[in-house]
Structure formats: C-alpha cells, structure tokens
Amino acid sequence: MPQEQNIRDEWYSNKDLFEFFNALQREFDGLKAEMQQTREVIRRYNGLREELEQVKADLRTMQDEARGRNSVGRAIREWGGWAVALLSVVAAYLKFFHGG
C-alpha cells in the first residue's frame, strides 16, 4: 500500500516525463539549427566586412595614384614653358660658345 501511495503522489507519470523530454529535445534541435544559421550569417558578414575594407584600401590607393598623376600633369603644364625656355637658353649658349 505505501508503494501505491507513492505512485499516486508523483507529480508526473513516466509517459508525461518522456513526452516532456522528447519535446525539449526537439526544441534543442531547433535551437541548434538556428544557431548554426546564425554562425553562417556572421561568417558571411565578417567576410563582407573584410572585403569592404580591402575595397576601401584599394580605392584610397587609386585616389592617391590619381592625385599623383594629376600633380605631375599640373607641374608639367605649369613648368613646361620654363623648361622650354631653359633648354633654349642652354642650346643658344652651346651654339654661341662651342660653335655648335
């Protein structure tokens, strides 16, 4: 009789516990799948961030190179006349003093 009393005093039957743990296992499996998807999204995001940083660095390099070309071109335009004048003076000097 005390054994029957213990069975009646139990809060959950074995079947209830079995069903509860099965439902809990399915829920954990679902969470595990969601966590895997989250990790994949984070990995792709980090890859995109790295790629973006590389593109930004490449763009800065191209801008710096373009600025350098522009400054060389500007210097040639601004100083080109002086260079021609200087070469003319040197040529005249050589012709006059060296008989060329």
Side-chain angles (χ1 to χ4, degrees):
M1 187 118 149
Q3 195 173 20
E4 280 181 26
Q5 185 66 30
N6 284 344
I7 292 173
R8 276 188 251 134
D9 289 343
E10 290 181 8
W11 289 359
Y12 298 102
S13 70
N14 286 339
K15 180 183 175 192
D16 291 336
L17 290 173
F18 178 78
E19 289 172 354
F20 172 76
F21 283 116
N22 273 344
L24 191 59
Q25 180 64 45
R26 284 191 301 274
E27 194 171 322
F28 279 136
D29 290 343
L31 290 174
K32 191 166 116 179
E34 286 180 25
M35 287 176 62
Q36 180 62 33
Q37 290 173 345
T38 302
R39 281 193 296 267
E40 179 62 29
V41 167
I42 290 170
R43 184 173 42 248
R44 281 187 277 152
Y45 173 79
N46 287 336
L48 288 174
R49 290 278 309 179
E50 291 169 3
E51 190 174 333
L52 175 63
E53 291 303 318
Q54 183 61 47
V55 168
K56 287 165 66 176
D58 292 346
L59 179 61
R60 278 192 294 276
T61 300
M62 289 187 292
Q63 287 173 334
D64 292 343
E65 289 173 358
R67 283 187 199 109
R69 280 195 295 270
N70 289 341
S71 64
V72 169
R74 189 177 335 112
I76 290 170
R77 283 192 310 274
E78 291 174 359
W79 291 93
W82 286 101
V84 169
L86 180 63
L87 289 176
S88 298
V89 169
V90 170
Y93 172 81
L94 290 174
K95 186 174 184 181
F96 183 74
F97 288 107
H98 292 290

XYZ file of all heavy atoms in Angstrom:
831
model
N 0.798 -1.193 0.000
C 0.000 0.000 0.000
C 0.853 1.276 0.000
O 0.488 2.194 -0.723
C -0.906 -0.026 1.217
C -1.869 1.086 1.187
S -3.446 0.382 1.139
C -4.498 1.337 1.886
N 1.926 1.363 0.746
C 2.733 2.580 0.689
C 3.287 2.812 -0.717
O 3.440 3.945 -1.137
C 3.867 2.345 1.667
C 3.514 1.138 2.462
C 2.423 0.436 1.751
N 3.552 1.733 -1.450
C 4.057 1.877 -2.810
C 2.990 2.493 -3.703
O 3.282 3.356 -4.522
C 4.491 0.521 -3.342
C 5.335 0.627 -4.574
C 5.891 -0.721 -4.986
O 5.370 -1.766 -4.588
N 6.936 -0.689 -5.765
N 1.754 2.069 -3.573
C 0.654 2.660 -4.348
C 0.493 4.127 -4.001
O 0.224 4.953 -4.871
C -0.656 1.919 -4.052
C -0.817 0.643 -4.783
C -2.150 -0.012 -4.462
O -3.109 0.698 -4.106
O -2.211 -1.233 -4.567
N 0.658 4.468 -2.742
C 0.546 5.860 -2.315
C 1.635 6.705 -2.982
O 1.369 7.806 -3.425
C 0.665 5.948 -0.789
C 0.440 7.322 -0.223
C -0.997 7.802 -0.410
O -1.929 7.002 -0.441
N -1.149 9.103 -0.555
N 2.856 6.183 -3.062
C 3.963 6.906 -3.709
C 3.669 7.158 -5.181
O 3.966 8.226 -5.709
C 5.270 6.138 -3.562
C 5.852 6.261 -2.168
O 5.453 7.133 -1.406
N 6.770 5.379 -1.841
N 3.110 6.171 -5.868
C 2.789 6.311 -7.283
C 1.752 7.405 -7.472
O 1.852 8.222 -8.373
C 2.317 4.970 -7.880
C 3.479 3.977 -7.919
C 1.743 5.179 -9.266
C 3.096 2.590 -8.324
N 0.735 7.439 -6.628
C -0.319 8.455 -6.733
C 0.202 9.850 -6.386
O -0.294 10.844 -6.885
C -1.499 8.100 -5.843
C -2.434 7.129 -6.526
C -3.695 6.923 -5.730
N -3.623 5.573 -5.175
C -3.883 5.229 -3.935
N -4.295 6.121 -3.084
N -3.781 4.003 -3.540
N 1.240 9.911 -5.521
C 1.783 11.202 -5.108
C 2.739 11.793 -6.141
O 3.108 12.963 -6.029
C 2.521 11.057 -3.766
C 1.551 10.835 -2.617
O 0.355 11.116 -2.793
O 2.012 10.392 -1.552
N 3.153 11.026 -7.114
C 4.069 11.549 -8.124
C 3.389 12.664 -8.910
O 2.204 12.599 -9.219
C 4.487 10.427 -9.088
C 5.381 9.393 -8.464
C 5.780 8.315 -9.462
O 5.496 8.457 -10.660
O 6.389 7.335 -9.020
N 4.147 13.672 -9.249
C 3.593 14.812 -9.977
C 3.353 14.489 -11.436
O 2.371 14.906 -12.025
C 4.541 15.996 -9.901
C 4.604 16.625 -8.535
C 3.917 16.268 -7.417
C 5.394 17.733 -8.187
N 4.218 17.078 -6.377
C 5.144 18.012 -6.819
C 6.298 18.534 -8.855
C 5.763 19.052 -6.148
C 6.901 19.559 -8.180
C 6.634 19.818 -6.843
N 4.295 13.745 -12.030
C 4.197 13.414 -13.453
C 4.367 11.919 -13.629
O 5.160 11.281 -12.942
C 5.286 14.116 -14.264
C 5.210 15.617 -14.204
C 6.079 16.347 -13.392
C 4.267 16.300 -14.954
C 6.009 17.729 -13.330
C 4.190 17.687 -14.905
C 5.067 18.393 -14.093
O 4.984 19.744 -14.042
N 3.665 11.388 -14.580
C 3.834 9.960 -14.890
C 5.072 9.810 -15.761
O 5.592 10.777 -16.318
C 2.598 9.427 -15.622
O 2.540 9.988 -16.927
N 5.528 8.594 -15.914
C 6.679 8.324 -16.776
C 6.383 8.759 -18.213
O 7.251 9.282 -18.897
C 7.049 6.845 -16.728
C 7.723 6.485 -15.421
O 8.256 7.366 -14.738
N 7.696 5.211 -15.065
N 5.157 8.526 -18.656
C 4.765 8.926 -20.007
C 4.855 10.449 -20.157
O 5.366 10.952 -21.157
C 3.348 8.446 -20.311
C 2.873 8.825 -21.678
C 1.446 8.390 -21.914
C 0.970 8.913 -23.260
N -0.435 8.778 -23.458
N 4.375 11.195 -19.148
C 4.443 12.662 -19.189
C 5.895 13.133 -19.262
O 6.236 14.029 -20.050
C 3.787 13.275 -17.956
C 2.273 13.082 -17.922
O 1.685 12.901 -19.014
O 1.700 13.127 -16.811
N 6.743 12.538 -18.438
C 8.156 12.910 -18.454
C 8.803 12.580 -19.801
O 9.585 13.372 -20.336
C 8.899 12.207 -17.316
C 8.560 12.685 -15.908
C 9.241 11.795 -14.870
C 8.977 14.133 -15.724
N 8.490 11.415 -20.351
C 9.020 11.007 -21.648
C 8.619 12.007 -22.727
O 9.458 12.464 -23.516
C 8.530 9.591 -22.002
C 8.987 9.126 -23.346
C 10.285 8.662 -23.530
C 8.128 9.159 -24.431
C 10.709 8.238 -24.778
C 8.545 8.737 -25.690
C 9.840 8.273 -25.857
N 7.354 12.372 -22.758
C 6.868 13.332 -23.750
C 7.514 14.706 -23.544
O 7.877 15.390 -24.507
C 5.349 13.431 -23.704
C 4.652 12.187 -24.234
C 3.151 12.207 -24.020
O 2.652 13.139 -23.347
O 2.487 11.282 -24.514
N 7.668 15.097 -22.290
C 8.293 16.386 -21.989
C 9.734 16.421 -22.499
O 10.158 17.376 -23.163
C 8.249 16.644 -20.480
C 9.021 17.846 -20.053
C 8.525 19.129 -20.262
C 10.264 17.710 -19.444
C 9.247 20.238 -19.876
C 10.989 18.820 -19.055
C 10.479 20.087 -19.275
N 10.495 15.369 -22.208
C 11.895 15.345 -22.642
C 12.022 15.232 -24.158
O 12.938 15.804 -24.748
C 12.669 14.224 -21.926
C 13.029 14.591 -20.515
C 12.504 13.892 -19.442
C 13.875 15.652 -20.255
C 12.830 14.238 -18.143
C 14.200 16.005 -18.956
C 13.687 15.296 -17.889
N 11.127 14.521 -24.790
C 11.144 14.474 -26.261
C 10.874 15.855 -26.855
O 11.532 16.268 -27.813
C 10.120 13.466 -26.788
C 10.678 12.077 -26.867
O 11.883 11.878 -26.818
N 9.799 11.091 -26.962
N 9.908 16.569 -26.321
C 9.601 17.922 -26.799
C 10.797 18.849 -26.546
O 11.156 19.670 -27.396
C 8.349 18.459 -26.111
N 11.418 18.692 -25.386
C 12.583 19.501 -25.053
C 13.732 19.209 -26.023
O 14.417 20.135 -26.485
C 13.003 19.208 -23.612
C 14.032 20.125 -22.978
C 13.544 21.561 -22.953
C 14.332 19.656 -21.558
N 13.917 17.942 -26.365
C 14.974 17.561 -27.308
C 14.716 18.182 -28.683
O 15.624 18.693 -29.321
C 15.070 16.027 -27.424
C 16.151 15.552 -28.378
C 17.542 15.939 -27.899
O 17.856 15.783 -26.724
N 18.364 16.428 -28.801
N 13.462 18.151 -29.136
C 13.124 18.753 -30.437
C 13.388 20.261 -30.412
O 13.873 20.829 -31.381
C 11.672 18.458 -30.794
C 11.435 17.026 -31.264
C 10.046 16.842 -31.871
N 8.955 17.166 -30.942
C 8.423 16.323 -30.064
N 8.860 15.086 -29.982
N 7.427 16.704 -29.274
N 13.068 20.878 -29.292
C 13.303 22.320 -29.164
C 14.802 22.625 -29.204
O 15.229 23.562 -29.880
C 12.691 22.827 -27.856
C 12.589 24.332 -27.804
C 11.779 24.800 -26.599
O 10.779 24.163 -26.237
O 12.195 25.821 -26.027
N 15.605 21.818 -28.522
C 17.055 21.995 -28.568
C 17.586 21.793 -29.981
O 18.475 22.522 -30.433
C 17.765 21.040 -27.605
C 17.775 21.507 -26.180
C 17.487 20.621 -25.157
C 18.077 22.823 -25.859
C 17.502 21.050 -23.834
C 18.083 23.253 -24.544
C 17.796 22.361 -23.523
N 17.058 20.808 -30.683
C 17.483 20.575 -32.066
C 17.175 21.793 -32.943
O 17.989 22.199 -33.774
C 16.816 19.321 -32.640
C 17.337 18.036 -32.008
O 18.420 18.077 -31.377
O 16.652 16.999 -32.146
N 15.991 22.375 -32.738
C 15.628 23.579 -33.487
C 16.547 24.748 -33.157
O 16.985 25.485 -34.050
N 16.855 24.915 -31.878
C 17.767 25.985 -31.469
C 19.156 25.769 -32.031
O 19.832 26.718 -32.448
C 17.819 26.078 -29.940
C 16.570 26.610 -29.249
C 16.712 26.500 -27.734
C 16.326 28.061 -29.645
N 19.576 24.520 -32.059
C 20.895 24.193 -32.610
C 20.959 24.566 -34.089
O 21.947 25.161 -34.545
C 21.169 22.698 -32.410
C 22.567 22.280 -32.695
C 22.812 20.885 -32.137
C 23.108 19.937 -33.245
N 23.374 18.579 -32.797
N 19.912 24.268 -34.836
C 19.867 24.624 -36.251
C 19.872 26.143 -36.443
O 20.567 26.672 -37.314
C 18.633 24.010 -36.912
N 19.115 26.853 -35.609
C 19.101 28.320 -35.694
C 20.468 28.903 -35.356
O 20.912 29.858 -35.998
C 18.041 28.887 -34.746
C 16.616 28.691 -35.228
C 15.602 29.273 -34.251
O 15.962 30.200 -33.490
O 14.460 28.800 -34.259
N 21.137 28.342 -34.375
C 22.468 28.825 -34.011
C 23.451 28.588 -35.157
O 24.301 29.440 -35.434
C 22.958 28.146 -32.736
C 22.241 28.642 -31.499
S 22.717 27.772 -29.991
C 24.442 28.145 -29.884
N 23.346 27.466 -35.843
C 24.209 27.182 -36.986
C 23.969 28.209 -38.092
O 24.911 28.718 -38.687
C 23.963 25.760 -37.514
C 24.819 25.393 -38.703
C 26.303 25.408 -38.385
O 26.707 25.095 -37.271
N 27.110 25.799 -39.339
N 22.698 28.526 -38.343
C 22.384 29.543 -39.351
C 22.940 30.903 -38.937
O 23.479 31.639 -39.770
C 20.870 29.649 -39.544
C 20.252 28.454 -40.239
C 18.726 28.531 -40.248
O 18.124 29.307 -39.518
N 18.111 27.703 -41.078
N 22.835 31.226 -37.670
C 23.352 32.500 -37.164
C 24.862 32.564 -37.341
O 25.405 33.587 -37.775
C 22.977 32.694 -35.689
O 21.554 32.640 -35.560
C 23.491 34.013 -35.149
N 25.550 31.481 -37.032
C 27.004 31.444 -37.220
C 27.364 31.638 -38.686
O 28.321 32.346 -39.012
C 27.581 30.128 -36.697
C 27.734 30.096 -35.190
C 28.585 28.920 -34.740
N 27.982 27.637 -35.049
C 27.205 26.952 -34.226
N 26.920 27.431 -33.045
N 26.716 25.786 -34.585
N 26.608 31.034 -39.579
C 26.860 31.171 -41.020
C 26.653 32.621 -41.463
O 27.454 33.167 -42.218
C 25.943 30.237 -41.815
C 26.108 30.328 -43.312
C 27.490 29.947 -43.799
O 28.159 29.126 -43.142
O 27.919 30.491 -44.840
N 25.590 33.251 -40.981
C 25.332 34.659 -41.331
C 26.466 35.544 -40.809
O 26.946 36.434 -41.520
C 23.964 35.113 -40.763
C 23.806 36.617 -40.835
C 22.839 34.425 -41.509
N 26.918 35.295 -39.594
C 28.008 36.089 -39.017
C 29.290 35.882 -39.819
O 30.021 36.843 -40.106
C 28.213 35.729 -37.534
C 27.033 36.244 -36.710
C 29.530 36.282 -37.000
C 27.012 35.738 -35.283
N 29.571 34.647 -40.216
C 30.776 34.361 -41.006
C 30.728 35.105 -42.340
O 31.704 35.728 -42.754
C 30.927 32.860 -41.223
C 32.202 32.498 -41.956
C 32.497 30.999 -42.062
N 31.349 30.178 -42.364
C 30.805 29.300 -41.526
N 31.290 29.129 -40.333
N 29.770 28.589 -41.879
N 29.548 35.089 -42.993
C 29.415 35.817 -44.262
C 29.555 37.318 -44.041
O 30.183 38.017 -44.833
C 28.084 35.501 -44.933
C 28.117 34.147 -45.658
C 26.864 33.921 -46.440
N 25.873 33.408 -45.498
C 24.574 33.551 -45.607
N 24.065 34.196 -46.615
N 23.760 33.060 -44.711
N 28.976 37.830 -42.967
C 29.067 39.259 -42.651
C 30.523 39.660 -42.433
O 30.983 40.671 -42.955
C 28.244 39.575 -41.400
C 28.409 40.983 -40.913
C 27.739 42.036 -41.528
C 29.245 41.262 -39.842
C 27.892 43.334 -41.079
C 29.401 42.563 -39.390
C 28.729 43.593 -40.008
O 28.894 44.868 -39.565
N 31.246 38.848 -41.669
C 32.658 39.156 -41.423
C 33.450 39.118 -42.723
O 34.344 39.943 -42.930
C 33.252 38.200 -40.400
C 32.759 38.488 -38.997
O 32.351 39.597 -38.696
N 32.785 37.486 -38.135
N 33.143 38.188 -43.602
C 33.801 38.134 -44.906
C 33.520 39.379 -45.729
O 34.405 39.931 -46.385
N 32.278 39.847 -45.678
C 31.924 41.068 -46.401
C 32.640 42.274 -45.810
O 33.075 43.168 -46.540
C 30.407 41.291 -46.373
C 29.587 40.344 -47.241
C 28.096 40.584 -46.999
C 29.919 40.542 -48.711
N 32.761 42.313 -44.492
C 33.475 43.424 -43.852
C 34.934 43.445 -44.308
O 35.475 44.494 -44.614
C 33.416 43.294 -42.324
C 32.079 43.525 -41.700
C 31.759 44.939 -41.503
N 32.856 45.618 -40.821
C 32.843 46.884 -40.528
N 31.826 47.620 -40.829
N 33.857 47.447 -39.924
N 35.568 42.272 -44.325
C 36.960 42.198 -44.769
C 37.078 42.646 -46.222
O 37.991 43.399 -46.572
C 37.482 40.771 -44.617
C 37.652 40.332 -43.181
C 37.924 38.844 -43.048
O 38.034 38.154 -44.082
O 38.014 38.373 -41.905
N 36.156 42.198 -47.058
C 36.172 42.580 -48.465
C 35.955 44.086 -48.618
O 36.624 44.744 -49.426
C 35.092 41.808 -49.226
C 35.176 41.961 -50.719
C 34.177 41.077 -51.444
O 33.791 40.026 -50.895
O 33.794 41.454 -52.552
N 35.039 44.650 -47.842
C 34.785 46.089 -47.889
C 36.033 46.869 -47.502
O 36.380 47.854 -48.146
C 33.618 46.450 -46.966
C 33.314 47.935 -46.836
C 32.895 48.520 -48.181
C 32.229 48.162 -45.794
N 36.710 46.430 -46.450
C 37.932 47.113 -46.034
C 38.992 47.052 -47.124
O 39.708 48.023 -47.359
C 38.464 46.524 -44.720
C 37.587 46.814 -43.514
C 37.363 48.293 -43.281
O 38.319 49.088 -43.398
O 36.216 48.678 -42.986
N 39.100 45.909 -47.818
C 40.071 45.779 -48.906
C 39.710 46.708 -50.057
O 40.573 47.365 -50.632
C 40.144 44.320 -49.396
C 41.179 44.106 -50.473
C 42.581 44.445 -50.011
O 43.008 44.034 -48.938
N 43.305 45.212 -50.797
N 38.429 46.781 -50.389
C 37.977 47.670 -51.469
C 38.262 49.123 -51.098
O 38.727 49.910 -51.942
C 36.478 47.447 -51.771
C 35.922 48.545 -52.665
C 36.269 46.083 -52.424
N 38.017 49.494 -49.842
C 38.297 50.859 -49.403
C 39.792 51.163 -49.512
O 40.184 52.249 -49.959
C 37.799 51.068 -47.975
C 36.284 51.161 -47.888
C 35.747 51.016 -46.481
C 36.110 52.099 -45.542
N 35.463 51.945 -44.215
N 40.628 50.215 -49.123
C 42.077 50.416 -49.221
C 42.497 50.558 -50.685
O 43.319 51.425 -51.021
C 42.815 49.253 -48.558
N 41.939 49.716 -51.554
C 42.249 49.806 -52.981
C 41.811 51.151 -53.548
O 42.531 51.763 -54.339
C 41.576 48.668 -53.753
C 42.166 47.311 -53.426
O 43.253 47.246 -52.825
O 41.511 46.293 -53.764
N 40.646 51.622 -53.144
C 40.135 52.908 -53.617
C 41.044 54.045 -53.163
O 41.367 54.939 -53.948
C 38.708 53.124 -53.114
C 38.048 54.437 -53.510
C 37.942 54.550 -55.027
C 36.671 54.546 -52.875
N 41.487 53.999 -51.901
C 42.401 55.031 -51.419
C 43.696 55.024 -52.227
O 44.220 56.081 -52.585
C 42.694 54.833 -49.935
C 41.622 55.394 -49.015
C 42.079 55.438 -47.567
N 42.285 54.124 -46.977
C 41.315 53.390 -46.438
N 40.078 53.820 -46.420
N 41.583 52.220 -45.907
N 44.202 53.839 -52.532
C 45.422 53.727 -53.321
C 45.221 54.329 -54.706
O 46.064 55.100 -55.189
C 45.842 52.247 -53.454
O 46.064 51.722 -52.147
C 47.094 52.099 -54.280
N 44.103 53.994 -55.343
C 43.826 54.543 -56.675
C 43.664 56.057 -56.623
O 44.146 56.769 -57.510
C 42.578 53.891 -57.271
C 42.793 52.448 -57.678
S 41.414 51.710 -58.573
C 40.170 51.622 -57.318
N 43.018 56.567 -55.587
C 42.853 58.018 -55.453
C 44.209 58.692 -55.260
O 44.476 59.727 -55.872
C 41.934 58.341 -54.274
C 40.479 58.039 -54.537
C 39.619 58.211 -53.287
O 40.104 58.087 -52.172
N 38.341 58.482 -53.497
N 45.063 58.089 -54.439
C 46.396 58.649 -54.223
C 47.202 58.648 -55.520
O 47.894 59.621 -55.834
C 47.145 57.879 -53.133
C 46.534 58.073 -51.750
O 45.746 59.031 -51.581
O 46.839 57.265 -50.853
N 47.098 57.546 -56.281
C 47.805 57.479 -57.560
C 47.266 58.521 -58.534
O 48.032 59.174 -59.233
C 47.673 56.079 -58.163
C 48.475 55.026 -57.423
C 48.201 53.618 -57.931
O 47.353 53.439 -58.833
O 48.841 52.681 -57.412
N 45.943 58.695 -58.555
C 45.342 59.692 -59.453
C 45.784 61.094 -59.046
O 46.094 61.925 -59.909
C 43.819 59.583 -59.428
N 45.837 61.367 -57.766
C 46.308 62.677 -57.306
C 47.752 62.895 -57.732
O 48.128 63.986 -58.137
C 46.180 62.788 -55.789
C 44.787 63.047 -55.317
C 44.755 63.319 -53.805
N 43.417 63.114 -53.327
C 43.016 62.105 -52.556
N 43.874 61.201 -52.138
N 41.759 61.995 -52.183
N 48.561 61.850 -57.637
C 49.963 61.947 -58.049
C 50.086 62.235 -59.529
O 50.864 63.090 -59.948
N 49.305 61.553 -60.346
C 49.337 61.798 -61.798
C 48.865 63.205 -62.099
O 49.425 63.885 -62.946
C 48.473 60.775 -62.528
C 49.150 59.432 -62.715
C 48.417 58.595 -63.737
N 47.077 58.243 -63.298
C 46.758 57.164 -62.610
N 47.696 56.303 -62.282
N 45.518 56.925 -62.254
N 47.810 63.623 -61.411
C 47.297 64.968 -61.641
C 48.327 66.019 -61.257
O 48.483 67.023 -61.939
C 45.992 65.201 -60.873
C 44.842 64.419 -61.470
O 44.901 63.999 -62.615
N 43.797 64.216 -60.691
N 49.039 65.806 -60.163
C 50.024 66.798 -59.738
C 51.207 66.814 -60.692
O 51.765 67.879 -60.967
C 50.471 66.535 -58.304
O 51.132 65.299 -58.206
N 51.597 65.662 -61.239
C 52.678 65.626 -62.224
C 52.230 66.337 -63.492
O 52.967 67.151 -64.059
C 53.104 64.162 -62.520
C 54.020 64.108 -63.730
C 53.773 63.552 -61.303
N 51.015 66.044 -63.924
C 50.493 66.709 -65.123
C 50.396 68.210 -64.931
O 50.743 68.991 -65.824
N 49.953 68.626 -63.778
C 49.846 70.057 -63.472
C 51.241 70.681 -63.461
O 51.457 71.771 -63.997
C 49.152 70.268 -62.132
C 48.832 71.715 -61.865
C 48.054 71.974 -60.562
N 47.264 70.860 -60.069
C 47.536 70.183 -58.939
N 48.565 70.519 -58.193
N 46.766 69.185 -58.558
N 52.205 70.000 -62.862
C 53.571 70.532 -62.809
C 54.144 70.681 -64.214
O 54.801 71.669 -64.522
C 54.451 69.616 -61.969
N 53.872 69.691 -65.071
C 54.365 69.790 -66.452
C 53.731 70.987 -67.143
O 54.407 71.760 -67.823
C 54.097 68.483 -67.223
C 54.997 67.366 -66.680
C 54.307 68.677 -68.714
C 54.659 65.992 -67.191
N 52.421 71.159 -66.961
C 51.743 72.294 -67.592
C 52.270 73.616 -67.058
O 52.512 74.563 -67.806
C 50.235 72.205 -67.355
C 49.516 71.207 -68.231
C 47.997 71.381 -68.165
N 47.454 71.436 -66.812
C 47.119 70.371 -66.080
N 47.288 69.160 -66.571
N 46.621 70.509 -64.870
N 52.456 73.685 -65.745
C 52.872 74.942 -65.144
C 54.339 75.256 -65.400
O 54.709 76.415 -65.574
C 52.601 74.915 -63.632
C 51.117 74.922 -63.295
C 50.849 74.751 -61.812
O 51.816 74.602 -61.030
O 49.664 74.761 -61.436
N 55.181 74.249 -65.406
C 56.603 74.478 -65.551
C 57.110 74.183 -66.961
O 58.282 74.413 -67.263
C 57.377 73.625 -64.546
C 57.161 74.101 -63.141
C 56.234 73.655 -62.268
C 57.866 75.143 -62.489
N 56.304 74.345 -61.095
C 57.319 75.279 -61.198
C 58.922 75.993 -62.860
C 57.781 76.205 -60.284
C 59.382 76.917 -61.932
C 58.804 77.017 -60.674
N 56.242 73.684 -67.832
C 56.665 73.329 -69.193
C 57.260 74.494 -69.950
O 58.282 74.359 -70.639
N 56.643 75.657 -69.854
C 57.163 76.839 -70.549
C 58.542 77.218 -70.060
O 59.426 77.577 -70.842
N 58.744 77.125 -68.743
C 60.052 77.448 -68.179
C 61.104 76.446 -68.658
O 62.243 76.833 -68.938
C 59.995 77.433 -66.659
C 59.285 78.624 -66.099
C 58.021 78.674 -65.634
C 59.807 79.943 -65.988
N 57.692 79.930 -65.236
C 58.790 80.756 -65.434
C 61.026 80.532 -66.303
C 58.968 82.101 -65.181
C 61.205 81.873 -66.046
C 60.180 82.651 -65.502
N 60.714 75.180 -68.766
C 61.659 74.165 -69.223
C 62.071 74.424 -70.665
O 63.252 74.334 -71.017
C 61.048 72.774 -69.085
N 61.127 74.793 -71.518
C 61.439 75.087 -72.917
C 62.355 76.308 -72.998
O 63.339 76.320 -73.748
C 60.139 75.308 -73.733
C 60.440 75.866 -75.111
C 59.365 74.006 -73.827
N 62.050 77.298 -72.198
C 62.890 78.497 -72.194
C 64.303 78.162 -71.737
O 65.287 78.624 -72.329
C 62.268 79.563 -71.299
N 64.437 77.368 -70.699
C 65.742 76.987 -70.183
C 66.519 76.190 -71.219
O 67.711 76.442 -71.444
C 65.581 76.186 -68.886
C 66.876 75.719 -68.228
C 67.709 76.932 -67.800
C 66.582 74.838 -67.037
N 65.862 75.251 -71.872
C 66.528 74.459 -72.913
C 66.959 75.354 -74.078
O 68.027 75.153 -74.662
C 65.615 73.335 -73.395
C 65.400 72.192 -72.410
C 64.383 71.190 -72.977
C 66.699 71.489 -72.088
N 66.157 76.338 -74.398
C 66.514 77.269 -75.474
C 67.755 78.066 -75.105
O 68.655 78.271 -75.934
C 65.366 78.240 -75.762
O 64.243 77.524 -76.203
N 67.826 78.517 -73.865
C 68.995 79.275 -73.405
C 70.230 78.401 -73.440
O 71.302 78.824 -73.900
C 68.745 79.843 -71.986
C 70.026 80.398 -71.384
C 67.671 80.905 -72.030
N 70.093 77.159 -72.963
C 71.232 76.231 -72.967
C 71.668 75.960 -74.396
O 72.875 75.968 -74.714
C 70.878 74.922 -72.225
C 71.951 73.866 -72.435
C 70.684 75.189 -70.739
N 70.727 75.750 -75.291
C 71.074 75.492 -76.694
C 71.773 76.707 -77.309
O 72.772 76.564 -78.040
C 69.822 75.144 -77.482
N 71.287 77.900 -77.026
C 71.918 79.111 -77.559
C 73.321 79.266 -76.992
O 74.259 79.632 -77.723
C 71.056 80.325 -77.221
N 73.497 78.989 -75.702
C 74.818 79.073 -75.075
C 75.788 78.116 -75.744
O 76.919 78.494 -76.075
C 74.688 78.769 -73.575
C 76.011 78.630 -72.865
C 76.723 79.761 -72.447
C 76.557 77.377 -72.612
C 77.937 79.633 -71.806
C 77.780 77.249 -71.964
C 78.448 78.386 -71.559
O 79.655 78.255 -70.923
N 75.365 76.866 -75.921
C 76.230 75.871 -76.543
C 76.589 76.268 -77.975
O 77.716 76.122 -78.419
C 75.567 74.496 -76.520
C 75.454 73.843 -75.135
C 74.651 72.544 -75.238
C 76.816 73.581 -74.537
N 75.652 76.793 -78.707
C 75.864 77.179 -80.086
C 76.836 78.362 -80.178
O 77.740 78.397 -81.001
C 74.527 77.530 -80.747
C 74.641 77.793 -82.221
C 73.278 77.990 -82.790
C 73.395 78.144 -84.289
N 72.115 78.364 -84.914
N 76.637 79.314 -79.262
C 77.456 80.517 -79.304
C 78.889 80.267 -78.838
O 79.836 80.683 -79.466
C 76.797 81.603 -78.444
C 77.524 82.914 -78.488
C 77.465 83.723 -79.603
C 78.296 83.310 -77.409
C 78.153 84.919 -79.626
C 78.973 84.513 -77.449
C 78.899 85.327 -78.564
N 79.018 79.546 -77.675
C 80.341 79.375 -77.098
C 81.063 78.149 -77.590
O 82.273 78.083 -77.479
C 80.251 79.365 -75.568
C 79.967 80.709 -74.989
C 78.734 81.010 -74.454
C 80.949 81.681 -74.990
C 78.473 82.254 -73.920
C 80.690 82.934 -74.450
C 79.447 83.228 -73.910
N 80.382 77.204 -78.087
C 81.042 75.967 -78.509
C 80.956 75.782 -80.019
O 81.331 74.735 -80.535
C 80.440 74.760 -77.774
C 80.760 74.774 -76.306
N 82.013 74.561 -75.819
C 79.975 75.045 -75.230
C 81.994 74.664 -74.492
N 80.754 74.959 -74.113
N 80.418 76.729 -80.684
C 80.392 76.724 -82.131
C 79.504 75.669 -82.729
O 79.699 75.268 -83.868
N 78.545 75.181 -82.007
C 77.697 74.114 -82.487
C 76.639 74.545 -83.353
O 76.237 74.386 -84.393
